Amino acid sequence: MMNLLLADNATINTTRHSGVSKDSRESQTSASSSLNSSVQSSFSKRGRGSSSRRLSMIRLSQKESAKNVNVEALTANKLRFSSLGVVGRDKETDVLKECLERLVMAGEDATATTTETGEDDVRASARELVFISGVSGTGKTTLAQTLASQTKRHKGLYLTGKFDFYLRDEPYSGFVAACRELCGEILMLRNDTNTEAKYQEIRDEIMSELGDEISLLTSIFPVLDEILDVDYASAPAVDCSDDAYGKEGINYAFRKFLRVVSTHFKPLVIVLDDLQWGDAASFELLETLITDRENPQIMVIGCYRSNEVDDAHFLSKTIRDLHEKKENDGFRITDIYVGNLDVPSVDQIIIELLSVDSDDSSLDLAEICHKRTLGNAFHLMAFLSMLEEEGMLGFNLGLFQWIWKIARIEEETAVAPNVVDLMKDKMKKQTGEVFNLLQLASCLGSSFDENLLFVAWEGLGKTRHLGSWKSSSDDDEDETVRTRDGLKQLLGQAIDEAFLEAHGESHYRWVHDNVQEAAMSLDAEEKMQEFQMSIGEILLRELSKTELRAVIFVVANLLNAKEVSDPDKKAKIVELNFDAAEKAKELSAFESAAKYVGKGIGLLPADRWTSQKELSLKMYSICAEAHYSLGNVAEMQKYCDEVLRQDNIPILDKMRVYHCMLITMGNGGRAPEALKLSLDILSQLKCKLPRNSASQMVTAFYWLSKTKLPSKDEIAELPLMTDPTHKACMQLMINVSTYAHYCNDFVTMILIVTCTVRWTMKYGIDLNSPAAFAILGFLKIVTGDFITGNAFSERALILLNRLESKAVESRLTYLVHFMVAPWAKPLQSTLTYLLQGYKVGMETDAGAEPGGNPFLHTPILVRTTHFPMYRQGILNLMHGSENPLILSGDAIESEDAFIDKVQHEHYPRNYLHVLIFKSIMCSFYGNHELGAKLALERGDAYLKKNGSVLVMSDFFHQGVSLFAMSRKTKKRKYIKRANKMHATIKSWAKKGNPNVNHCIMFLGAEKAALNGKHKEAMLLYSRAISTASRTGFQQDAALGSERFGEFLLYDLDDKERAISQLKDAIRLYSNWGALYKADTLREKHSSLW
């Protein structure tokens, strides 16, 4: 090629070169005449960084160059893509840098505030999320990489992870790759004596912060074992039998892990590439990280192909959801679109790449390159490399400059191949062994470990000529490269040719998706499928169980590539898909679990329920659970029905699918059906309960009265329940208590709960025993026995200590400390436990799994239905709205739509929460006419349906509005109902409730004012305000001060003391955080100030 160029100067466009390179020998030898390893530049997909240094040349005459220049040592005669900066992306680069600087400055501000005040002041808006979109090859990843050096200057960490088209069913793959980089950085600290102490500090903090959750993370990120220097891989797998580790648990554990990391590396920048191939679990983890207010120094950059993501794509939904949450959750989102380069940008690339002056000749070349590649950056680099290889672009040593022939380029590239075809042509020109290596590596994913590659490489060496597997011209050479050193040599050649790049120690990745795609398409699809299956069989045969589990998704995908007919092979693939599905389910990657187990089910024999009954049962059960978790009710039911049709399967073995059906019924407003089915199953399990209403009532109240409170010693001596039938019945009975509660079947609820407690005392402790004791305590509260009810809840906590189950802890905390304890203990004493329960619930995703107890799903109902309502109420108190009694604003878009939704949830108790909210808001904002009307309409319906602490607040605020209207109208209907509310609350105090004393005084003051007993009213108002303040009910103290002030102003005309009380009310409302309420009260009485 060089000779051709030297011989044909007369017809070639030439431009003077500006000299020779001063770069080191290392950079000289790393350069390649083709699209080489430096394609990791600003236009590569997987660059390690681009050098911004321009060629520094000295001028030589043609004679001097011919005499003095060592051709082999030259770099001037090679396409040095690594010399390129980022061209044509100034605006996008500035936007990215601005995001990072904003993140850094927010962190510095928070640090300065902490230093000055001694308290943490995390800036909620510090977190940055950037989405970079564009078609393949436009340079999205390289644009993101412009932040690498800037991040390093700030002593932060820049991490990259990539999702893979061929491993789309592998959960968290992008995060796994980023975590591998992170662990590599931490290990470097360990290997340096100057930073070893910092490594130890990070390690200790991770182990301290995560505790038992480390095993959960290492099941997803095995590389964590290395930095923790503990072999968790050989330890028993995380026990998910009590569903303590769900999706939220994984997300919460990873969130805590990154919190530790970000305290040592600030800022922390994570780039997730090819999000269009990400899995649902990864998107949810992304959302978890960016919404973490306790990790402000984090920036996530997501790159995706815009032409492969339509509005229906899960990524589009995720982006829309994140945009909706950014204001409330305090993070910023920046969207950047990267298009193709224009002609001037292509011209600038050619000028920099070839070190030529800008003139018409370079512009001519730029125009034809732009025409052939449409300005796609990666395609442009491949096209220029092809021009050099084909002799249409070359370096003339005589002229010491790059030369090209426009006419020839125009003619011979009239039909320009796409970038994948260019890469395929280049691969086909490689030696047989490099070609074979590329084909093999393409099957292992976008990145791969050298050890895994060697196992497959060595195994394939024993089976020659598979598919397009090339034979080496030298058999001895073929045997040589089967060694580890030989493989390393071939990997080095692949790196030199810009197909692969090293990514950490013994780990490699493709420089671009298109390169991997080219390698995957080197042979016909059918032959490639056979090739993939051969690799899968080798890995399945050669890897140990531990090694196989680490790459089980890769191996499963390989073996699923082609349909098989051999029964023995089918059996192995079925087992492998089941194992992959189980691992995916453990990781809460339910979509992947459904796909793997679905594939396995498709390979089962026709007589599966006789020849492989046990495996078939497991697979159908896990498939039903996966589809339940995905919300695919119809698919779930299909697999459940298949299991239930099998007469040769005992009912006990069908419990997994029954639980899926029951939870679906319960959550879908079909509680009566769920109740009936549960009782039918209990009957089949020989748990006989009275079925006619008369017998049920007699038995229920007899058991309620005769079920004695066991002593703490009796609880301590109970064995653990072991009989599987008893355990299944315990689970069902707890479920029945829920459905009975939904159906307002109080008798069945008492019957079932007392039976569950009696079974615990008779057969031993089960995971559902603590809940049974707590629910019995709740029933005792509803029937008016507060002391015994609280005692049963305390026994529930003792049972919990025996079980040591985090999932049970979270649910039980809600039952004990929200539903029961406040009736017998100061409310303030329960808050710490509730916060701890919430924390544990976030770690374990308690209540979200199939087979769990729906009665204990109430916290989830609260955060999905009730939470927006109360949050909107709080926002109205804090910031106000046109009508603060209306549920519309940031948390709820439309009150009418929200109420319609609640009323269609089939559970009347949910709508009661809306009415409770209205009563409370009417009381605070003085709309007592509406508040009293609601009180008369509703009565004590909520007390009859729910004994939670909300009943206290509900009755108190109803009483305030009723007494206010009694004083205003003197109507008997208000007076009668108000007195009943007052009497009911006083009865609670007599039974041991310590949280209503200020309510009794408050309503007593209102009653005294109604009856004209002014001195008594004044005394009771003062005592109520003092007691409320002392016991932590600041909002009630504020309301009391407001009502007292207006009583003094309007009833006694005592302006001076009224002003004092109203100012106290404004102060108390402000301290509580109800700033808008404070402002409205100040404005209402502005004439007094």
Side-chain angles (χ1 to χ4, degrees):
M1 179 182 72
M2 189 61 66
N3 291 335
L4 170 64
L5 289 171
L6 287 171
D8 200 13
N9 290 339
T11 60
I12 298 176
N13 294 316
T14 64
T15 304
R16 292 195 61 82
H17 196 285
S18 56
V20 296
S21 171
K22 288 184 179 180
D23 286 348
S24 66
R25 177 174 178 80
E26 179 181 348
S27 65
Q28 293 171 355
T29 56
S30 68
S32 170
S33 60
S34 61
L35 178 59
N36 50 45
S37 60
S38 61
V39 77
Q40 308 145 23
S41 71
S42 60
F43 302 98
S44 75
K45 187 72 172 179
R46 282 291 184 193
R48 277 171 281 175
S50 59
S51 172
S52 61
R53 295 174 300 170
R54 296 290 311 275
L55 291 174
S56 175
M57 312 297 289
I58 60 175
R59 296 187 177 277
L60 296 174
S61 67
Q62 294 181 22
K63 182 177 180 180
E64 289 172 330
S65 67
K67 186 192 310 182
N68 300 325
V69 175
N70 183 337
V71 176
E72 294 300 322
L74 281 175
T75 60
N77 65 332
K78 300 178 176 63
L79 290 177
R80 300 184 68 253
F81 294 106
S82 62
S83 69
L84 290 171
V86 177
V87 179
R89 307 293 189 210
D90 294 344
K91 181 180 178 180
E92 294 87 348
T93 302
D94 289 344
V95 170
L96 268 183
K97 290 181 177 178
E98 181 183 343
C99 292
L100 182 61
E101 288 303 318
R102 194 164 55 214
L103 182 73
V104 172
M105 289 178 65
E108 290 174 350
D109 289 345
T111 302
T113 304
T114 302
T115 303
E116 293 171 7
T117 64
E119 298 180 357
D120 290 336
D121 180 29
V122 176
R123 300 300 175 92
S125 61
R127 290 151 290 140
E128 298 280 347
L129 176 60
V130 180
F131 288 110
I132 304 177
S133 61
V135 300
S136 175
T138 52
K140 301 180 292 294
T141 309
T142 302
L143 175 63
Q145 196 172 7
T146 59
L147 294 186
S149 58
Q150 188 178 355
T151 304
K152 188 174 182 180
R153 283 198 303 272
H154 289 297
K155 298 183 180 179
L157 207 55
Y158 178 91
L159 307 173
T160 62
K162 174 180 170 57
F163 294 97
D164 189 339
F165 174 80
Y166 300 103
L167 294 175
R168 284 167 294 176
D169 295 332
E170 179 174 350
Y172 306 108
S173 60
F175 283 102
V176 170
C179 190
R180 186 183 299 113
E181 282 192 12
L182 170 59
C183 292
E185 293 287 340
I186 296 175
L187 286 172
M188 287 174 64
L189 299 176
R190 185 181 67 179
N191 299 332
D192 188 335
T193 55
N194 295 322
T195 57
E196 189 175 3
K198 184 176 181 180
Y199 156 76
Q200 191 64 42
E201 182 182 357
I202 295 173
R203 174 189 177 276
D204 292 346
E205 286 184 24
I206 291 172
M207 297 189 72
S208 174
E209 183 68 21
L210 270 72
D212 294 340
E213 295 164 270
I214 292 175
S215 295
L216 178 63
L217 281 188
T218 55
S219 68
I220 309 170
F221 311 111
V223 70
L224 284 176
D225 282 343
E226 297 180 39
I227 64 170
L228 298 177
D229 203 21
V230 176
D231 185 12
Y232 285 96
S234 61
V238 176
D239 181 11
C240 297
S241 60
D242 66 350
D243 297 296
Y245 298 98
K247 176 174 52 184
E248 292 290 345
I250 293 171
N251 293 348
Y252 195 75
F254 194 68
R255 174 190 277 192
K256 290 201 294 184
F257 169 66
L258 283 191
R259 284 177 191 168
V260 174
V261 172
S262 64
T263 61
H264 296 275
F265 301 98
K266 299 179 182 179
L268 184 63
V269 179
I270 302 175
V271 179
L272 298 172
D273 201 6
D274 285 326
L275 281 177
Q276 74 276 1
W277 297 325
D279 57 291
S282 293
F283 294 147
E284 292 177 22
L285 179 55
L286 166 62
E287 183 175 329
T288 298
L289 297 181
I290 205 64
T291 56
D292 183 10
R293 292 178 180 270
E294 295 184 42
N295 193 4
Q297 287 280 277
I298 187 169
M299 178 177 185
V300 179
I301 303 175
C303 304
Y304 66 93
R305 295 182 180 181
S306 54
N307 59 315
E308 296 185 23
V309 177
D310 57 21
D311 288 341
H313 197 288
F314 197 85
L315 176 59
S316 294
K317 179 183 181 301
T318 300
I319 294 174
R320 289 194 297 269
D321 291 345
L322 287 168
H323 271 286
E324 291 176 1
K325 293 180 178 181
K326 63 183 178 183
E327 296 296 331
N328 292 332
D329 288 323
F331 61 92
R332 292 186 178 90
I333 298 182
T334 302
D335 294 294
I336 299 174
Y337 178 78
V338 180
N340 285 332
L341 298 166
D342 56 16
V343 173
S345 297
V346 174
D347 188 33
Q348 185 62 34
I349 289 171
I350 290 172
I351 290 169
E352 293 192 18
L353 183 64
L354 306 182
S355 294
V356 298
D357 298 326
S358 178
D359 59 18
D360 290 343
S361 61
S362 69
L363 185 59
D364 289 342
L365 180 59
E367 287 176 345
I368 194 170
C369 287
H370 186 274
K371 185 188 298 184
R372 298 296 186 256
T373 66
L374 301 178
N376 182 277
F378 187 76
H379 195 175
L380 174 64
M381 299 300 103
F383 184 74
L384 287 169
S385 179
M386 182 272 293
L387 292 181
E388 185 198 18
E389 290 178 357
E390 298 300 325
M392 289 177 273
L393 171 68
F395 189 80
N396 188 301
L397 285 175
L399 299 175
F400 215 77
Q401 62 192 33
W402 285 93
I403 55 180
W404 56 89
K405 298 195 291 184
I406 288 294
R408 184 182 171 194
I409 294 172
E410 186 80 46
E411 179 183 351
E412 296 189 15
T413 65
V415 181
N418 63 41
V419 68
V420 172
D421 290 335
L422 285 174
M423 300 310 300
K424 285 171 63 176
D425 290 342
K426 182 177 178 180
M427 289 176 181
K428 290 175 181 178
K429 296 174 183 177
Q430 305 302 312
T431 64
E433 293 301 342
V434 172
F435 178 93
N436 296 340
L437 176 72
L438 294 173
Q439 198 173 25
L440 168 59
S442 70
C443 300
L444 301 182
S446 60
S447 64
F448 49 88
D449 183 78
E450 183 183 303
N451 294 325
L452 183 67
L453 181 68
F454 182 69
V455 171
W457 180 250
E458 190 177 40
L460 284 171
K462 302 170 185 177
T463 308
R464 308 286 181 81
H465 314 309
L466 290 168
S468 60
W469 194 253
K470 287 188 178 181
S471 298
S472 172
S473 58
D474 187 337
D475 287 341
D476 292 335
E477 180 187 355
D478 188 56
E479 292 303 319
T480 301
V481 296
R482 297 305 159 189
T483 66
R484 183 65 67 113
D485 289 341
L487 179 63
K488 285 183 178 292
Q489 291 176 13
L490 293 175
L491 286 168
Q493 292 178 45
I495 290 172
D496 289 341
E497 292 294 331
F499 298 124
L500 301 174
E501 64 178 2
H503 183 52
E505 186 177 352
S506 300
H507 207 83
Y508 301 86
R509 62 186 180 190
W510 296 92
V511 297
H512 194 278
D513 311 326
N514 290 333
V515 182
Q516 183 188 5
E517 183 182 349
M520 281 290 290
S521 58
L522 285 170
D523 207 345
E525 182 178 359
E526 185 176 350
K527 289 186 177 181
M528 196 62 189
Q529 290 172 350
E530 293 178 3
F531 184 57
Q532 288 175 288
M533 177 154 284
S534 298
I535 299 170
E537 290 173 344
I538 290 168
L539 296 177
L540 184 63
R541 181 177 66 246
E542 300 294 335
L543 295 177
S544 67
K545 287 186 177 180
T546 302
E547 291 170 334
L548 179 61
R549 181 172 173 79
V551 294
I552 193 165
F553 301 119
V554 174
V555 180
N557 289 340
L558 289 169
L559 290 174
N560 289 338
K562 180 178 171 57
E563 297 295 330
V564 295
S565 56
D566 181 80
D568 293 335
K569 285 187 177 182
K570 275 189 176 182
K572 290 180 180 179
I573 296 174
V574 168
E575 289 277 3
L576 185 68
N577 275 285
F578 173 69
D579 291 341
E582 280 205 315
K583 182 175 180 180
K585 181 174 178 285
E586 287 176 13
L587 302 179
S588 296
F590 300 112
E591 188 172 5
S592 297
K595 288 180 180 178
Y596 285 118
V597 75
K599 178 68 175 180
I601 287 174
L603 295 174
L604 287 169
D607 64 343
R608 63 193 63 176
W609 291 111
T610 53
S611 63
Q612 297 189 33
K613 182 178 70 173
E614 185 177 346
L615 179 59
S616 297
L617 176 63
K618 289 179 181 178
M619 297 190 76
Y620 274 82
S621 298
I622 197 174
C623 201
E625 291 168 346
H627 283 293
Y628 159 83
S629 299
L630 291 169
N632 300 333
V633 176
E635 283 296 303
M636 178 211 76
Q637 193 63 51
K638 180 177 73 174
Y639 290 100
C640 290
D641 290 343
E642 178 69 14
V643 172
L644 297 180
R645 280 195 293 267
Q646 309 311 314
D647 296 331
N648 61 336
I649 297 178
I651 187 169
L652 193 62
D653 292 337
K654 297 178 180 179
M655 291 310 300
R656 288 176 68 177
V657 297
Y658 270 131
H659 281 312
C660 289
M661 293 171 58
L662 290 170
I663 301 300
T664 301
M665 290 176 182
N667 290 342
R670 297 158 58 197
E673 293 179 57
L675 178 59
K676 182 179 183 303
L677 178 59
S678 297
L679 292 172
D680 288 343
I681 299 170
L682 281 171
S683 178
Q684 294 181 60
L685 290 171
K686 311 304 180 185
C687 177
K688 300 295 184 180
L689 297 168
R691 299 303 294 266
N692 69 72
S693 57
S695 298
Q696 282 184 345
M697 182 172 294
V698 171
T699 305
F701 285 98
Y702 176 78
W703 281 357
L704 182 62
S705 63
K706 292 299 182 180
T707 302
K708 295 181 179 180
L709 177 71
S711 68
K712 294 180 180 180
D713 290 340
E714 287 178 302
I715 294 291
E717 293 173 0
L718 286 174
L720 294 178
M721 189 179 291
T722 56
D723 184 270
T725 302
H726 291 159
K727 291 170 74 67
C729 288
M730 289 286 285
Q731 176 69 74
L732 279 168
M733 285 191 285
I734 288 293
N735 287 357
V736 169
S737 71
T738 304
Y739 307 135
H741 186 56
Y742 286 162
C743 297
N744 297 320
D745 188 345
F746 197 58
V747 171
T748 299
M749 187 175 180
I750 294 174
L751 182 70
I752 285 293
V753 171
T754 51
C755 180
T756 310
V757 170
R758 293 161 72 90
W759 272 43
T760 297
M761 300 306 298
K762 183 176 182 180
Y763 299 119
I765 303 171
D766 174 70
L767 285 173
N768 295 285
S769 297
F773 274 72
I775 297 171
L776 183 55
F778 162 78
L779 293 174
K780 292 286 186 180
I781 293 294
V782 173
T783 56
D785 190 350
F786 296 174
I787 303 303
T788 304
N790 184 64
F792 267 103
S793 73
E794 290 178 343
R795 299 300 187 272
L797 294 174
I798 296 174
L799 288 168
L800 173 65
N801 291 334
R802 292 283 308 277
L803 293 170
E804 298 182 350
S805 168
K806 280 193 172 185
V808 174
E809 178 185 351
S810 174
R811 305 164 186 158
L812 194 68
T813 297
Y814 173 79
L815 273 176
V816 170
H817 294 292
F818 185 74
M819 303 289 285
V820 180
W823 291 92
K825 292 181 178 181
L827 183 62
Q828 297 300 317
S829 69
T830 69
L831 297 182
T832 301
Y833 297 105
L834 288 171
L835 289 172
Q836 173 63 18
Y838 173 80
K839 178 176 179 291
V840 172
M842 289 299 294
E843 293 174 359
T844 61
D845 196 20
E849 74 289 339
N853 173 17
F855 184 89
L856 303 171
H857 292 190
T858 308
I860 294 178
L861 291 174
V862 167
R863 74 179 183 231
T864 56
T865 301
H866 306 156
F867 176 75
M869 177 179 60
Y870 287 106
R871 182 170 179 270
Q872 188 60 60
I874 292 170
L875 290 173
N876 289 355
L877 286 165
M878 292 174 66
H879 308 302
S881 66
E882 185 174 339
N883 184 348
L885 298 180
I886 300 298
L887 287 168
S888 296
D890 291 341
I892 297 176
E893 185 174 346
S894 165
E895 179 181 88
D896 291 340
F898 178 76
I899 290 176
D900 184 64
K901 172 182 178 293
V902 170
Q903 288 181 321
H904 283 82
E905 286 179 341
H906 308 287
Y907 301 126
R909 186 176 63 258
N910 289 343
Y911 182 60
L912 282 174
H913 277 266
V914 176
L915 300 180
I916 291 173
F917 162 80
K918 292 284 189 180
S919 292
I920 294 173
M921 290 296 104
C922 285
S923 175
F924 277 123
Y925 280 102
N927 192 338
H928 298 301
E929 183 176 358
L930 176 59
K933 178 177 180 291
L934 291 172
L936 292 175
E937 290 175 353
R938 183 157 50 90
D940 56 358
Y942 190 66
L943 176 62
K944 292 177 180 178
K945 296 175 184 297
N946 196 318
S948 78
V949 67
L950 288 176
V951 172
M952 301 179 213
S953 182
D954 180 31
F955 271 49
F956 168 62
H957 286 285
Q958 284 191 61
V960 171
S961 290
L962 286 165
F963 271 117
M965 289 306 295
S966 297
R967 289 168 59 187
K968 181 179 180 179
T969 67
K970 310 300 182 184
K971 289 185 177 180
R972 178 175 173 76
K973 63 179 181 179
Y974 295 132
I975 296 172
K976 181 180 178 181
R977 188 65 190 168
N979 285 331
K980 183 176 181 181
M981 291 290 171
H982 192 204
T984 300
I985 295 174
K986 286 199 289 186
S987 72
W988 294 342
K990 288 180 181 179
K991 294 173 182 177
N993 188 328
N995 295 305
V996 294
N997 290 323
H998 71 284
C999 301
I1000 295 169
M1001 297 173 194
F1002 194 136
L1003 296 182
E1006 294 285 337
K1007 185 175 182 179
L1010 169 67
N1011 295 327
K1013 298 178 181 180
H1014 295 165
K1015 288 186 179 179
E1016 182 181 346
M1018 292 171 62
L1019 179 63
L1020 287 172
Y1021 272 130
S1022 297
R1023 288 180 177 176
I1025 294 166
S1026 174
T1027 303
S1029 297
R1030 187 178 67 253
T1031 54
F1033 295 92
Q1034 190 170 202
Q1035 72 279 12
D1036 294 343
L1039 181 59
S1041 293
E1042 180 183 359
R1043 293 290 296 166
F1044 188 16
E1046 293 183 343
F1047 166 73
L1048 291 167
L1049 182 64
Y1050 300 130
D1051 289 43
L1052 302 186
D1053 196 25
D1054 188 343
K1055 184 176 179 180
E1056 183 178 348
R1057 283 196 288 180
I1059 290 174
S1060 175
Q1061 287 299 324
L1062 291 170
K1063 284 185 175 179
D1064 281 348
I1066 292 170
R1067 174 180 56 81
L1068 289 166
Y1069 278 128
S1070 298
N1071 291 342
W1072 185 42
L1075 301 179
Y1076 180 75
K1077 169 59 187 175
D1079 289 341
T1080 58
L1081 185 58
R1082 186 183 293 109
E1083 183 179 349
K1084 178 182 179 181
H1085 296 290
S1086 58
S1087 61
L1088 297 176
W1089 320 125

